[in-house]
Amino acid sequence: MDRYGRDVLDPRTQRAARPRTVDVPMEIGMVVEDPASGYVGEIMGWENGLVILEDRHGKRRAFPVGPGFWLDGKPVALRIPPRTGSTTRYTASGSRVGDPGRPAKVALPSRIYVEGRHDAELVEKIWGSDLRHVGVVVEYLGGIDDLVSIVAEFRPEKGRRLGVLVDHLVSGTKEQRIAAEVARGGYGDVVRIAGHRFIDIWQAIRPEVLGIKAWPEVPRDVDFKKGTLAALGMPHHDQIDIANAWKAMLGRVRTFRDLDPDFTREVEKLIDFVTQDHLDEID
């Protein structure tokens, strides 16, 4: 009995014959890969037969429109979409796309910290365009055990706010105790710690997006990521297996609708919080 059903994360599916290239109209916010160079980037626009991609480090490259790209693990030919009566475009977070010709914002002194690298990559994929528009930088932490000293070192104040996104921020957890300790640090209204109920950011992706019925339960004494992959019947022996699995999962995520709504709500609250002192600077 197949517990979860076949999908592209299934190793058997990954070994299937290479599919044929299909035409795909380009969309702002679509993430594609140029396999020849290994460059992965978000589509920021297109002009003069070139598509402009931006990677997660904010670096941009131009490629000829047409075949030779991969989208969600499949070969595609990028095509210029037909003109419609409306020129309104939207980012992966659902925000309206502004004028692509505007210069990049200078980074604000306010920051958002997230607990892990996968958290940062997911936030960048969905909210990257919004964050660049307002000039907010997201930085990842290796963990939150030293969060009290990290916040003190940041020296938050009015105009220099700090938002922190924490995994598994529920009552009775280590994360909740650390957050409470930071709250007692006397930072008033310039530090905000937000979180989600999930043990790991992987679970913020709606399971149906990955072709599974639900995220498997992993015993507390088992590494969450390896245990999850084992339950899904995927390779799970080392960090390479984990990295490959996350890459495949992240590739499935296209817009905020692919994420748990409680998670998206917390991220958007943090973005609003760290920009409150800079509203006059953001158009």
Side-chain angles (χ1 to χ4, degrees), residues 114-125 138-140:
V114 297
E115 191 172 350
R117 185 181 297 276
H118 291 179
D119 306 57
E121 290 175 347
L122 183 61
V123 170
E124 161 62 25
K125 181 164 186 178
V138 173
E139 300 180 15
Y140 81 91

Side-chain angles (χ1 to χ4, degrees), residues 56-102:
R56 64 188 183 89
H57 302 293
K59 296 181 179 179
R60 296 189 177 189
R61 289 182 60 180
F63 296 88
V65 171
F69 296 92
W70 283 77
L71 173 66
D72 294 338
K74 299 177 182 178
V76 298
L78 297 180
R79 302 302 183 193
I80 296 175
R83 292 183 179 273
T84 63
S86 172
T87 59
T88 303
R89 296 173 182 168
Y90 296 89
T91 67
S93 69
S95 301
R96 289 176 181 267
V97 174
D99 178 6
R102 287 184 300 180

Side-chain angles (χ1 to χ4, degrees), residues 26-34 39-46 51-63 69-71 78 90-95 97 121-132 253-255:
M26 291 183 290
E27 298 177 7
I28 298 294
M30 179 184 289
V31 177
V32 298
E33 177 182 358
D34 171 48
Y39 186 90
V40 178
E42 176 183 354
I43 294 179
M44 308 303 293
W46 50 85
V51 56
I52 311 300
L53 303 183
E54 180 174 284
D55 68 13
R56 64 188 183 89
H57 302 293
K59 296 181 179 179
R60 296 189 177 189
R61 289 182 60 180
F63 296 88
F69 296 92
W70 283 77
L71 173 66
L78 297 180
Y90 296 89
T91 67
S93 69
S95 301
V97 174
E121 290 175 347
L122 183 61
V123 170
E124 161 62 25
K125 181 164 186 178
I126 301 301
W127 289 276
S129 295
D130 302 49
L131 292 165
R132 282 185 286 277
V253 178
R254 297 287 299 279
T255 76

Side-chain angles (χ1 to χ4, degrees), residues 132-150:
R132 282 185 286 277
H133 170 68
V134 297
V136 172
V137 174
V138 173
E139 300 180 15
Y140 81 91
L141 306 170
I144 65 165
D145 289 349
D146 298 323
L147 187 59
V148 173
S149 59
I150 290 171

Side-chain angles (χ1 to χ4, degrees), residues 66-239:
F69 296 92
W70 283 77
L71 173 66
D72 294 338
K74 299 177 182 178
V76 298
L78 297 180
R79 302 302 183 193
I80 296 175
R83 292 183 179 273
T84 63
S86 172
T87 59
T88 303
R89 296 173 182 168
Y90 296 89
T91 67
S93 69
S95 301
R96 289 176 181 267
V97 174
D99 178 6
R102 287 184 300 180
K105 287 278 186 181
V106 176
L108 298 178
S110 298
R111 291 286 188 273
I112 292 177
Y113 287 171
V114 297
E115 191 172 350
R117 185 181 297 276
H118 291 179
D119 306 57
E121 290 175 347
L122 183 61
V123 170
E124 161 62 25
K125 181 164 186 178
I126 301 301
W127 289 276
S129 295
D130 302 49
L131 292 165
R132 282 185 286 277
H133 170 68
V134 297
V136 172
V137 174
V138 173
E139 300 180 15
Y140 81 91
L141 306 170
I144 65 165
D145 289 349
D146 298 323
L147 187 59
V148 173
S149 59
I150 290 171
V151 172
E153 183 178 353
F154 182 79
R155 293 177 298 172
E157 60 184 8
K158 182 175 175 58
R160 184 180 170 83
R161 293 175 177 244
L162 178 62
V164 184
L165 182 67
V166 176
D167 293 341
H168 204 217
L169 188 62
V170 297
S171 179
T173 62
K174 174 192 75 172
E175 290 80 5
Q176 191 275 333
R177 292 193 294 272
I178 293 174
E181 189 175 353
V182 172
R184 293 193 294 269
Y187 299 105
D189 297 329
V190 293
V191 173
R192 176 169 185 159
I193 298 179
H196 51 78
R197 66 187 185 279
F198 307 115
I199 297 174
D200 189 274
I201 195 65
W202 287 14
Q203 295 177 321
I205 302 174
R206 293 169 53 225
E208 56 267 34
V209 173
L210 304 180
I212 60 179
K213 295 178 180 178
W215 284 101
E217 296 287 337
V218 178
R220 288 179 176 269
D221 59 345
V222 175
D223 178 87
F224 174 81
K225 290 184 172 67
K226 291 183 178 180
T228 295
L229 296 180
L232 295 176
M234 299 177 63
H236 57 280
H237 300 293
D238 52 32
Q239 285 301 123

